[in-house]
Amino acid sequence: QVQLVESGGGLVQPGGSLRLSCATSGFTMDSYAIGWFRQVPGKRREAVSCISSTDGTTLYTDSVKGRFTTSRDNAKNTVYLQMNDLKPEDTAAYFCAADSMGRCYSSAYTYTERYEYFGQGTTVTVAS
C-alpha cells in the first residue's frame, strides 16, 4: 500500500522556520521525483518545489526561492521541506507527491496530474 505521510506543520510567527517531512512507503521512493504543493481553501493546489530522483536537482516556485529548501534521504524514504523566513502568505495545507518519471522539469513539475500519489497534507499557519 502506497503511503505518503506529511508531518511538521504548525503555527509559527512571521520570520520563523519549520521543517516538513514526507515519509513514504509502498513504492521505491528513490526512483521517484517528489514534489511539494500547497493549497489554501478555495484556491487551486500550487506547486512549491520538486526534487529529482537521480541527481537531486531541485526546482522552486518563485515566491519561495531563497527561503525554502527541499532535500531527500532515500535511505529513510523521506523527503524534507525546510521553510525559513516564513510569511503569512505561506499559510496553507502542504502536500507531498510522487512522480514516477523521476525527473523534475520546469515545464511540468507544477502540474498535479503528473504525480501518481499524494499525501493527506499538513497545515502550516504563519501568524503573529
Side-chain angles (χ1 to χ4, degrees):
Q1 180 183 2
V2 171
Q3 284 192 312
L4 292 85
V5 180
E6 302 91 340
S7 62
L11 173 64
V12 63
Q13 293 186 340
S17 298
L18 283 174
R19 187 177 81 155
L20 305 184
S21 299
C22 172
T24 72
S25 61
F27 65 102
T28 308
M29 195 199 81
D30 57 7
S31 299
Y32 283 67
I34 302 295
W36 283 96
F37 288 77
R38 63 187 180 187
Q39 189 170 24
V40 174
K43 293 192 175 182
R44 294 182 63 181
R45 197 165 288 191
E46 172 194 27
V48 174
S49 67
C50 184
I51 183 165
S52 294
S53 65
T54 51
D55 58 4
T57 301
T58 55
L59 295 173
Y60 300 93
T61 192
D62 286 346
S63 61
V64 308
K65 283 179 181 177
R67 301 188 298 122
F68 290 14
T69 303
T70 187
S71 60
R72 63 192 297 153
D73 185 339
N74 289 336
K76 294 183 178 180
N77 292 319
T78 301
V79 174
Y80 305 97
L81 183 67
Q82 177 67 43
M83 306 186 296
N84 298 328
D85 189 23
L86 282 160
K87 306 175 186 298
E89 52 264 40
D90 295 318
T91 295
Y94 283 73
F95 303 84
C96 58
D99 171 15
S100 63
M101 295 299 291
R103 290 291 303 272
C104 301
Y105 296 95
S106 58
S107 60
Y109 85 98
T110 61
Y111 293 96
T112 58
E113 295 83 358
R114 186 171 178 87
Y115 299 82
E116 286 89 347
Y117 310 118
F118 272 85
Q120 294 299 305
T122 186
T123 300
V124 172
T125 303
V126 185
S128 55

